[in-house]
Amino acid sequence: QLQLQESGPGLVKASETLSLSCTISGGSFSTTTYSWAWVRQPPGKGLEWIATFYYGGNTYYSPSLMGRVTLSVDTSKNLFSMRLKSVTAADTAVYYCARYDYEFDYWGQGTLVTVSS
Amino acid sequence: QSVLTQPPSMSAAPGQEVTISCSGSSSNIGKNYVSWYQQLPGTAPKLLIFENDKRQSGIPDRFSGSKSGTSATLAITGLQTGDEADYFCGTWDIGLRAAVFGGGTKLTVL
């Protein structure tokens, strides 16, 4: 059974860069067959798509976050990462990594990131 | 303001049926598959329905999805208290070039 696990700091200072990683286990971490994505959820609010690394090699970013977010992949470590720079309180959220196959079919448990002023 | 519109909340009694709507436009639902997710309190979202009407493995047939034009619907029959959760619809928007979600519907089973 494919499992995804997010990791990273729970607290980030405003204006700094948030870095999160997603470790994939129990299945294939293929970047030639599957796409991998990040989604976040501010406390008490809905889901917001951040970005998707497509198996064809292209990466699509949310228009509202483009320019601040970067995705990277390390297939040798089964690792999928994101960096979000210049964070503000509005970036406080639970961040999820997920496998994307025209739908988000596998999700990590999520990690809460709080941005402090 | 979400690109896809869902009712914020719905409620029904155990054993009854509920339908949750998801309204979009010709640039999203009208052109692409819709998926539905269930988020139980304090947990990650779980895929229920993909490609408009296909149930994910392990999802009971009490859950069904449909799409017509620029709207989609999730139906849940034989409601159980364990179905109390937030439900989100999602799709791709070709104009925004972005994955989009509905704002979510909080289902209460009275």
Side-chain angles (χ1 to χ4, degrees):
Chain A
Q1 174 79 349
L2 187 70
Q3 292 186 328
L4 291 77
Q5 177 69 60
E6 303 87 353
S7 60
L11 190 63
V12 180
K13 291 183 179 179
S15 80
E16 295 188 345
T17 296
L18 164 64
S19 295
L20 294 175
S21 293
C22 178
T23 302
I24 289 85
S25 61
S28 171
F29 178 49
S30 169
T31 56
T32 58
T33 307
Y34 297 109
S35 303
W36 304 90
W38 288 93
V39 176
R40 69 181 182 180
Q41 185 172 33
K45 296 189 178 181
L47 302 173
E48 180 187 12
W49 172 71
I50 298 172
T52 300
F53 178 91
Y54 282 84
Y55 63 82
N58 293 325
T59 302
Y60 281 81
Y61 296 101
S62 166
S64 65
L65 296 173
M66 198 176 302
R68 289 206 297 136
V69 63
T70 305
L71 300 193
S72 62
V73 172
D74 186 340
T75 53
S76 68
K77 297 181 180 178
N78 279 12
L79 206 60
F80 173 55
S81 302
M82 66 158 276
R83 288 168 56 88
L84 181 65
K85 62 183 182 182
S86 305
V87 297
T88 69
D91 295 311
T92 293
V94 175
Y95 285 77
Y96 297 99
C97 58
R99 193 178 78 172
Y100 182 70
D101 189 18
Y102 299 100
E103 60 278 333
F104 301 94
D105 58 356
Y106 287 92
W107 297 68
Q109 65 183 28
T111 185
L112 174 62
V113 177
T114 301
V115 177
S116 65
S117 56
Chain B
Q1 193 79 352
S2 302
V3 174
L4 306 180
T5 301
Q6 297 180 237
S9 63
M10 299 188 74
S11 62
Q16 290 191 330
E17 175 179 349
V18 67
T19 57
I20 300 173
S21 61
C22 175
S23 178
S25 70
S26 57
S27 64
N28 43 64
I29 293 179
K31 291 274 194 310
N32 293 290
Y33 288 129
V34 175
S35 50
W36 288 92
Y37 305 87
Q38 177 193 60
Q39 186 175 33
L40 297 169
T43 69
K46 180 174 76 172
L47 177 66
L48 294 176
I49 301 290
F50 65 100
E51 293 181 7
N52 303 330
D53 56 11
K54 295 179 173 58
R55 270 185 302 277
Q56 179 69 332
S57 175
I59 301 302
D61 59 7
R62 300 187 299 106
F63 294 86
S64 63
S66 63
K67 185 183 108 168
S68 178
T70 59
S71 294
T73 301
L74 173 70
I76 311 172
T77 60
L79 276 172
Q80 303 174 0
T81 55
D83 296 332
E84 279 204 347
D86 292 323
Y87 292 85
F88 296 91
C89 57
T91 187
W92 179 261
D93 189 295
I94 61 175
L96 297 173
R97 296 181 71 186
V100 293
F101 294 99
T105 299
K106 183 176 184 62
L107 174 64
T108 301
V109 181
L110 303 169

